[in-house]
Amino acid sequence: MAVKVAVFSSKPYDRVFLTDALADDHEVSFFEPRLDLTTVALAAGFDAACLFVNDNATRPVLEALAENGVRFLALRSTGFNHVDIEAARELGMRVARVPGYSPQAVAEHAVALMLALDRKIHRAYARVREGNFSLDGLLGFDLHLRTVGIVGTGQIGAAIVNILRGFGCRLVAYDVVQNPVCIAAGVQYVELDELLAMSDVITLHCPLTPETHHLIDDAALEKVQDGVMIINTSRGGLVDTQAVIDGLKSGKIGYLGLDVYEEEGDLFFEDLSDRVIQDDVFSRLLTFPNVLVTGHQAFFTRNALEQIASVTAKNIAAFDRGEATPNDVLSS
Ligand code: NAD
């Protein structure tokens, strides 16, 4: 039976990949707005809502979705911190995600941020285009033999390990569960405080949970080396933005690479180039020469979008047949 699917936060590229994967078997409607209380009525009469990272699946929104007949949330993401899972459970909804759709995409982007910050590619690009070939201020360091601390060694963390081994980095990690693949690759597991103190570069690859919220805060920054590089391609809430601004001002943080931001929901994925950004904290971040921000694009490769669409199709088919899958966050 065809499932009626309402796709929220859909961009032209989502339409292309999801239409290919879903349209033959299901009735798919694409809605550009983010899901929230003001847009939830769009889902009236649909069986499933297909959501992305900044859709707002809080309890009141889920209650309204359920009233509209939605019984399944097909997440187009690995993380599910944007969904009130307890509320979904109480409402009898099923929730599935797309785990590890392309760990390499995110890992490669994290390393791109590291290299760009280290060798100041963002500044060099602008200089050369202005005819300024001076090297003053562009001095970098070799990643070779530097200590990189990886927080979270699941699929993306393990992919980072593979890449950074090639650079000859010393790799230390912190995770609540140790990954034997990483141990075999020579990674040394340490406590979080040790990782903070040892690392020249700290890269975050754990999910956002109550335990990891503001993992990088004032207290953590007291433990890091002066001039540390911090990379966050995971979720904005892992980093206390005001704390890192203070750390950048004092020089404690030497480099900051972000693909995610705590309050990104009002900014990312939209063209705001003709508007005045109202978020003063975000605007302050953009003033530092040693900060590089990308707008949640680490996942954004052709391979990843194909995989997201294909696994989403499988998740919807499994919902249709009433079968469980390993991708279920919540089985009904
Ligand atoms: P994963 O589930 O394979 O790995 C997550 C790892 O974090 C696991 O090893 C887990 O044990 C560990 N972890 C859990 N709680 C922890 C804690 N309190 N402290 C330390 N480690 C902890 O997930 P993944 O596929 O590697 O993805 C990691 C995260 O990357 C996702 O949760 C998501 O938030 C983010 N992500 C971002 C993008 C992007 O485009 N920027 C794309 C995909 C995923």
Side-chain angles (χ1 to χ4, degrees):
M1 200 188 79
V3 178
K4 290 186 77 181
V5 186
V7 183
F8 282 87
S9 296
S10 64
K11 298 291 181 192
Y13 45 83
D14 294 311
R15 288 173 196 237
V16 170
F17 287 94
L18 288 170
T19 301
D20 276 357
L22 287 170
D24 285 348
D25 302 316
H26 305 290
E27 280 180 49
V28 189
S29 297
F30 291 97
F31 299 114
E32 210 177 318
R34 277 200 285 154
L35 174 68
D36 61 21
L37 267 183
T38 65
T39 60
V40 68
L42 292 168
F46 286 87
D47 309 303
C50 184
L51 309 184
F52 200 47
V53 289
N54 290 327
D55 285 312
N56 189 1
T58 54
R59 179 178 288 273
V61 174
L62 292 179
E63 284 169 356
L65 275 180
E67 272 169 34
N68 282 323
V70 170
R71 292 170 289 121
F72 180 46
L73 302 182
L75 309 182
R76 310 199 292 284
S77 57
T78 303
F80 50 89
N81 52 286
H82 53 304
V83 180
D84 185 333
I85 295 296
E86 195 42 49
R89 186 194 313 278
E90 287 168 24
L91 292 161
M93 278 183 176
R94 182 171 159 161
V95 182
R97 65 181 184 132
V98 184
Y101 47 79
S102 176
Q104 283 73 24
V106 182
E108 288 170 15
H109 191 79
V111 175
L113 289 174
M114 277 176 212
L115 290 171
L117 280 163
D118 169 14
R119 307 307 295 269
K120 303 173 175 62
I121 302 298
H122 52 307
R123 301 184 66 196
Y125 172 81
R127 272 193 198 186
V128 169
R129 288 178 71 96
E130 291 289 321
N132 175 358
F133 303 103
S134 158
L135 298 183
D136 278 344
L138 300 184
L139 192 65
F141 60 85
D142 292 4
L143 267 174
H144 184 66
L145 296 181
R146 293 289 170 150
T147 301
V148 180
I150 303 162
V151 181
T153 50
Q155 300 212 47
I156 295 169
I160 282 271
V161 166
N162 270 337
I163 298 170
L164 293 181
R165 272 178 77 197
F167 283 97
C169 297
R170 179 179 177 210
L171 301 175
V172 297
Y174 168 72
D175 196 314
V176 287
V177 183
Q178 298 191 358
N179 183 342
V181 171
C182 295
I183 294 173
V187 173
Q188 181 194 354
Y189 279 92
V190 295
E191 289 305 315
L192 181 59
D193 282 357
E194 287 177 81
L195 181 147
L196 294 172
M198 293 167 82
S199 302
D200 299 297
V201 177
I202 297 168
T203 185
L204 306 179
H205 301 290
C206 58
L208 176 60
T209 63
E211 292 74 44
T212 61
H213 180 256
H214 285 186
L215 186 114
I216 300 295
D217 60 5
D218 286 325
L221 291 178
E222 276 176 24
K223 296 169 190 149
V224 301
Q225 293 188 19
D226 287 346
V228 69
M229 179 187 292
I230 297 177
I231 304 289
N232 185 12
T233 57
S234 207
R235 283 292 179 269
L238 297 179
V239 170
D240 176 344
T241 313
Q242 193 52 56
V244 292
I245 287 174
D246 294 342
L248 286 158
K249 286 167 75 177
S250 71
K252 191 74 186 168
I253 299 176
Y255 313 79
L256 178 67
L258 300 179
D259 186 52
V260 286
Y261 167 61
E262 288 188 269
E263 305 298 331
E264 70 178 48
D266 292 331
L267 298 168
F268 287 4
F269 307 124
E270 302 302 328
D271 178 1
L272 305 179
S273 52
D274 59 352
R275 309 232 194 116
V276 174
I277 291 184
Q278 298 298 321
D279 183 334
D280 293 347
V281 175
F282 184 74
S283 297
R284 180 68 179 102
L285 268 183
L286 299 184
T287 65
F288 294 98
N290 49 353
V291 172
L292 191 46
V293 181
T294 52
H296 208 137
Q297 72 170 82
F299 75 100
F300 198 56
T301 66
R302 180 175 304 282
N303 316 58
L305 290 191
E306 280 166 1
Q307 189 64 13
I308 289 171
S310 139
V311 174
T312 299
K314 285 183 189 143
N315 289 344
I316 291 171
F319 160 74
D320 193 20
R321 293 194 296 266
E323 291 169 4
T325 83
N327 306 333
D328 291 341
V329 179
L330 197 57
S331 309
S332 55

